Amino acid sequence: MTSSTVTSSQPARPPQPNLVFRQLRGQRSPAEFAAAVRRAAREIGERVSCDARYVGRVEAGEIRCPNYAYERVFLHMFPGRTLTDLGFASRSSVRGRRTRASEDVPPARAMSPACAAGEAPGAHEPYDTQDRQDPYGTQGPYETYDNYEESDVLRRAFMTGGGATVAAASMGPLGLAPEAVAVGSSVRRVGSGEVGALEEAVRRIRLLDDRHGADGLYRRAASPLRAAYALLDAGVTRRAATADRLHSGAGELAISVGWLAHDSGRFDDARSHYAEALATARMSGDEALEAHAFCNTAFLARDAGRPREAVRAAQAAQRVARPLGSARLMSLLALREAGGWAGLADRTGCEQALVRAQVLFDRGRSDADPEWMSFYGEAELEGLEAQCWSMLGDWGRAARHAGRAAHLQDPHFTRNIALYTAELADDLARGGRPDEAAAAGMRVLDLLGEVQSSRIQSMLAATARVLLPHRRASGVSTFLDRHAGLRRTA
């Protein structure tokens, strides 16, 4: 792993002022220009914390090449220009690692003038954190910069992780509390203890989500971000092994927080967290983390109505994950791709990906399987296939797979049992079996005391709307009344 800061073996290079960028600022003050940058970011769905200090660092040449979020914002502000046109160094010139072979790099993204079938109108691809000529490649974008722009990326990755850490800490001891890394404390270097707490936080968050859902967790993860800032400010380790764990733990925690946002319906927040995890993965050359980030990005893109992007992200994940040697990981990524094809109403593409997922799944578990995939068993396989058939409108087949998923799920995974049963209820309702749908819906309502998930609640609300014309069917009226009462209480 390479460090983002200058080491003793690297000759110090005095920064060259970015006069072009200064000219583009014109008569505006640095603070006014920073406000314009933030407005432009909001226009394209990005989040950057640009201030006058950042503008000053760019103009002074301290930031030779911006990170990908700022790049997208600057190119939006100045259409038709490249980074070099804006006075920055090319990204390739500040990379410190050999670019992978050209055959690993996919062709440039083709932008269709028409929206893809089933895709949100005007949808762009917001998770593009690679060069525009390398949208889903596997290059490492943040290697050996001679400035400290990368510390901003790492800071944000920890910031997203810190909230989840303390949220989980409030439900059980994790060893990483705000007071432990408070600003001004004597701790100057991150060691194995802090890294271990970070890794344990990831495990704890996943466990709590499996049992209770994301809504409550995400709300509690939003406030104590000071702990993450303080952890970064405490300094970084000089030991390569600890630094690798630090980057990996931060990225995994960013993904965990992103999933909490995703499952609670905060898609913009989830997109931001996943993008930061992807940047952290590439910064540290962590292919396993990169595959995980792309996997979740594909899932989010499907749910956000961008099925073509879901396909591309899933395919990118498969390219990165192939050398890792985990058949189960490749199986899950094939299912992510199948979900994208289903969203595009491409039945053939979906079926091919589903067959590939089943074949890979049947190869069994291995030591190469990532720790975060503990949720992926036969029940999840059935549940994800059910979602594919549901998107294709094959309600009978979707209901069969959803029913199997709910039956096979480990009782400890309460949230997933509720999810699969909600999927079953919706498929039955749309397939013309209202009485069975109402019975399944009642089972979901029984679980909502333990589970807080906006995803499940939205699915149940959709099922209730489908069942409204069938109020006289057996059990439907009871389900609708109980569901309406739950909504009033909420």
Side-chain angles (χ1 to χ4, degrees):
M1 201 207 99
T2 56
S3 171
S4 61
T5 59
V6 181
T7 66
S8 58
S9 61
Q10 293 173 314
R13 287 181 286 177
Q16 299 296 317
N18 187 337
L19 301 179
V20 174
F21 200 88
R22 174 61 187 89
Q23 291 175 349
L24 291 171
R25 176 161 66 86
Q27 298 300 313
R28 289 173 288 186
S29 70
E32 290 170 338
F33 188 78
V37 171
R38 295 194 298 271
R39 284 195 299 271
R42 289 193 294 270
E43 291 171 3
I44 61 172
E46 283 292 348
R47 291 190 178 188
V48 296
S49 53
C50 186
D51 56 15
R53 178 177 174 273
Y54 180 89
V55 174
R57 291 175 63 207
V58 171
E59 294 179 358
E62 295 177 16
I63 298 175
R64 296 179 60 216
C65 185
N67 66 32
Y68 289 102
Y70 275 105
E71 177 185 353
R72 286 190 289 273
V73 175
F74 291 151
L75 297 184
H76 172 67
M77 293 177 68
F78 305 104
R81 300 185 187 232
T82 64
L83 281 181
T84 52
D85 293 334
L86 299 178
F88 293 107
S90 64
R91 200 170 296 284
S92 60
S93 70
V94 293
R95 282 197 182 109
R97 186 176 63 179
R98 176 179 59 85
T99 302
R100 282 181 170 83
S102 59
E103 59 266 23
D104 288 340
V105 181
R109 177 180 294 119
M111 299 300 293
S112 170
C115 290
E119 199 143 0
H124 54 84
E125 298 192 344
Y127 311 103
D128 177 11
T129 56
Q130 277 289 63
D131 292 346
R132 301 199 181 272
Q133 290 77 24
D134 182 24
Y136 284 121
T138 55
Q139 299 172 357
Y142 289 123
E143 309 297 333
T144 60
Y145 280 33
D146 64 346
N147 60 63
Y148 298 94
E149 173 62 9
E150 206 44 60
S151 67
D152 292 342
V153 176
L154 183 57
R155 179 184 296 276
R156 290 197 305 277
F158 268 99
M159 181 182 70
T160 58
T165 299
V166 185
S170 65
M171 294 183 168
L174 294 178
L176 181 61
E179 60 273 14
V181 288
V183 176
S185 70
S186 60
V187 178
R188 302 306 303 166
R189 198 166 302 283
V190 176
S192 59
E194 289 82 5
V195 176
L198 202 58
E199 293 168 342
E200 181 58 29
V202 174
R203 299 185 186 101
R204 184 69 171 159
I205 284 291
R206 290 171 184 160
L207 175 63
L208 293 169
D209 175 55
D210 289 336
R211 293 181 177 175
H212 305 293
D215 284 12
L217 279 176
Y218 188 72
R219 285 193 297 269
R220 297 167 73 174
S223 59
L225 298 181
R226 294 186 304 274
Y229 278 111
L231 183 60
L232 285 180
D233 292 338
V236 297
T237 179
R238 290 178 180 175
R239 298 184 60 183
T242 304
D244 287 347
R245 288 175 58 197
L246 194 62
H247 282 79
S248 178
E252 289 292 348
L253 202 44
I255 291 174
S256 293
V257 177
W259 167 248
L260 297 180
H262 181 173
D263 195 45
S264 56
R266 300 168 172 89
F267 287 175
D268 287 343
D269 290 350
R271 176 181 63 185
S272 177
H273 291 308
Y274 292 160
E276 293 302 343
L278 184 60
T280 303
R282 285 172 168 163
M283 175 175 63
S284 58
D286 190 335
E287 293 179 330
L289 177 60
E290 185 174 354
H292 191 186
F294 268 133
C295 176
N296 279 42
T297 294
F299 197 17
L300 176 63
R302 188 208 71 174
D303 286 352
R306 301 184 180 96
R308 192 174 302 282
E309 181 186 341
V311 171
R312 291 184 65 82
Q315 291 173 342
Q318 291 170 77
R319 285 194 296 274
V320 176
R322 193 167 289 114
L324 301 178
S326 169
R328 283 289 170 94
L329 175 57
M330 293 298 292
S331 172
L332 176 60
L333 298 176
L335 283 170
R336 295 289 188 244
E337 182 183 342
W341 290 124
L344 290 167
D346 187 333
R347 190 183 186 96
T348 300
C350 180
E351 289 179 338
Q352 290 174 346
L354 288 174
V355 169
R356 193 164 70 250
Q358 184 66 63
V359 170
L360 289 163
F361 184 88
D362 290 342
R363 293 182 185 176
R365 300 188 180 277
S366 73
D367 292 339
D369 296 341
E371 181 182 353
W372 59 266
M373 285 191 62
S374 59
F375 73 93
Y376 184 55
E378 191 174 0
E380 182 74 5
L381 175 71
E382 293 284 352
L384 291 174
E385 183 166 353
Q387 293 173 15
C388 289
W389 294 120
S390 179
M391 284 187 285
L392 291 170
D394 192 334
W395 309 117
R397 187 175 292 189
R400 286 196 299 273
H401 285 283
R404 290 176 196 160
H407 176 72
L408 291 167
Q409 183 59 67
D410 186 313
H412 291 94
F413 289 77
T414 312
R415 179 258 179 200
N416 280 1
I417 293 175
L419 174 67
Y420 303 146
T421 309
E423 175 71 37
L424 172 63
D426 196 63
D427 295 332
L428 290 169
R430 297 176 190 277
R433 297 154 68 180
D435 52 342
E436 296 176 66
M442 291 291 282
R443 294 197 296 274
V444 178
L445 290 172
D446 290 339
L447 293 171
L448 289 185
E450 304 176 49
V451 176
Q452 295 180 11
S453 170
S454 294
R455 174 192 298 271
I456 295 171
Q457 292 170 1
S458 296
M459 293 170 65
L460 211 56
T463 301
R465 288 193 294 271
V466 174
L467 289 177
L468 276 173
H470 306 280
R471 181 177 286 274
R472 293 186 178 182
S474 175
V476 172
S477 179
T478 302
F479 164 72
L480 292 175
D481 291 344
R482 184 176 171 191
H483 179 261
L486 177 70
R487 293 177 62 189
R488 285 194 296 270
T489 302

